[in-house]
Amino acid sequence: MSGSGLTGLLRDALRGTDEDHTRGLVRRSIILLAVPMMLEMAMEAVFAVTDIFFVAKLGSAAVAAVGMTEAVLTLVYAVAIGLSAATTAMVARRIGEGDEHGAAIASAQALWIGAFVSGVIGIVGVTLAEQILAWLGADDEVIKSASYTKILLGGSASITYIFLINAIFRGAGDASIAMRSLMLANGINIVLDPLLIFGIGPFPELGVTGAAVATTTGRSIGVLYQLLLLGGGNQRVTLRWRDLGIVPQVMRRLLVLSANGILQFFFATSAWIVLMALVARSGTAAVAGYTIAMRIVEFVILPAWGLGNAAATLVGQSLGAGKPSRAKLAVGITARYNFYFMASIGVVFIIIPHLFVRIFTDEPLVIEYGAACLRFLAYGYGFYALGMVMVQALNGAGDTFTPMLINLVCFWLIQLPLAWYLAETAGFGARGAFAAITIAESLIALLAWWAFRAGRWQRLQV
């Protein structure tokens, strides 16, 4: 591909096109979808990194409050991502079949489910914020920052919908719209974070609470932007008033797919909560180091997850068009791209992990824990890359059950017992938990690869 050709392709990817991704060159479709999806996920990672960058200036207790809240928020992410996986699969399949009205109806059902779930999470989060932090092993200093937890959990609808509506756009192939909504949300968050945390100019000094207000405000404005576009009439999927009614048959199917998707990510994210509690047994510095390291890891993994999202869209649309061989080809190419990307980053983190942690803190013990976490996780980056694509390919085909079963086995039957053994029985402390993460995630990749090769996903009706 010539330089000008590549430049033009990247420009099309960022601007968005109305191309049919069930036809033409597979590599072109991958790039058109993957570039904005990777940038979208990078923007999601920027949320996490921005907050922790400014909050770290307030000390390790504030960082620990953010980390423990993030552990709880992973349950919100489980719901949002699980529902999003099902939504992407249904929308992509309808678009591949040429049924845009069917895609709009599926999208409306997903929005109703998201509204109900967000309401429940918000009420529970605001009511029980202090107790939740205490259950995770927070000390009194950390519990003083419970307002951060209340705001983020209370505003969980902004998290759910920004994932969910972007899943609609991704399933339809409008990946550039999803990217732009995250860029808008992030820009607002980046500006508001220092203003509200430190009280710059006319803004009040809210400390760690300011980070929660900035993040929720940014996400909420991003959701409003998404809704305007979704109802604007110029996208592949456009919601009109007639599409907003509840359609029991479609909602039931979406709920079944979503239930498996939510359980899939629940098994993963709930395991992270238990790991956070296990790491907390090594002290506040360990929690702070672990939190910083995981934010850095997110900054790398989420863009890589964007490649997996591209595979999910192509698999769903290709199956809708009756082209399973195109789906296989797309997954193979995407997995190879992701492996190259993640493996190269992993080498860097193995060699110089301290350099990245020092960007966020100058506390020596926090740096040591954070660097250890980065290095341990980096050993498995090549496996993670393959696993992300294979799992998302299965999800895109509507097979949310298989990844759910894999996560149950690898996280709850292998990772957590192993983490406890290495941390407590073997005496490695938090570092033992870090090592268990790498082992479990690598096993997930191998099992997902085997499941994809088995081919059951090609015969599913969505």
Side-chain angles (χ1 to χ4, degrees), residues 78-103:
V79 174
I81 297 173
L83 182 55
S84 296
T87 302
T88 294
M90 290 193 73
V91 170
R93 189 69 69 97
R94 299 291 86 78
I95 292 296
E97 294 167 352
D99 183 8
E100 294 185 358
H101 179 58

Side-chain angles (χ1 to χ4, degrees), residues 280-301:
R281 294 169 68 89
S282 295
T284 299
V287 173
Y290 174 66
T291 300
I292 290 172
M294 292 309 297
R295 293 302 177 93
I296 296 170
V297 169
E298 285 176 25
F299 196 76
V300 176
I301 283 184

Side-chain angles (χ1 to χ4, degrees), residues 364-402:
L365 191 55
V366 174
I367 291 172
E368 284 305 313
Y369 276 114
C373 184
L374 274 184
R375 181 175 282 129
F376 272 111
L377 268 60
Y379 289 128
Y381 270 21
F383 284 105
Y384 307 164
L386 297 177
M388 287 176 207
V389 173
M390 296 303 165
V391 164
Q392 287 298 82
L394 293 171
N395 284 329
D399 183 8
T400 54
F401 176 79
T402 299

Side-chain angles (χ1 to χ4, degrees), residues 206-221:
L206 300 178
V208 69
T209 302
V213 173
T215 298
T216 302
T217 301
R219 288 187 191 277
S220 298
I221 293 175

Side-chain angles (χ1 to χ4, degrees), residues 224-281:
L224 290 175
Y225 171 75
Q226 291 173 319
L227 290 172
L228 286 173
L229 291 179
L230 198 57
N234 297 319
Q235 320 307 327
R236 288 184 177 92
V237 176
T238 299
L239 283 183
R240 307 185 190 282
W241 288 111
R242 62 186 172 89
D243 301 319
L244 295 178
I246 293 176
V247 182
Q249 182 179 358
V250 178
M251 182 170 281
R252 278 196 300 271
R253 182 57 183 156
L254 186 60
L255 282 170
V256 170
L257 290 176
S258 297
N260 288 331
I262 290 169
L263 283 175
Q264 175 189 153
F265 289 98
F266 171 79
F267 290 139
T269 54
S270 59
W272 288 105
I273 292 177
V274 177
L275 277 176
M276 175 64 78
L278 187 58
V279 170
R281 294 169 68 89

Side-chain angles (χ1 to χ4, degrees), residues 73 76-77 118-119 121-123 125-126 147-162 212-213 215-217 219-220 223:
L73 279 173
V76 180
Y77 295 140
S118 298
I121 292 173
I123 292 170
V126 171
S147 57
Y148 179 88
T149 309
K150 288 183 179 181
I151 292 171
L152 284 182
L153 289 178
S156 61
S158 65
I159 298 173
T160 302
Y161 273 117
I162 207 158
V213 173
T215 298
T216 302
T217 301
R219 288 187 191 277
S220 298
V223 169

Side-chain angles (χ1 to χ4, degrees), residues 46-119:
V46 168
F47 265 111
V49 173
T50 300
D51 281 356
I52 208 66
F53 177 80
F54 291 112
V55 169
K57 308 294 188 288
L58 303 176
S60 59
V63 173
V66 172
M68 289 184 169
T69 301
E70 187 71 19
V72 179
L73 279 173
T74 54
L75 294 178
V76 180
Y77 295 140
V79 174
I81 297 173
L83 182 55
S84 296
T87 302
T88 294
M90 290 193 73
V91 170
R93 189 69 69 97
R94 299 291 86 78
I95 292 296
E97 294 167 352
D99 183 8
E100 294 185 358
H101 179 58
I105 290 175
S107 301
Q109 310 313 299
L111 294 180
W112 284 118
I113 296 170
F116 174 77
V117 171
S118 298

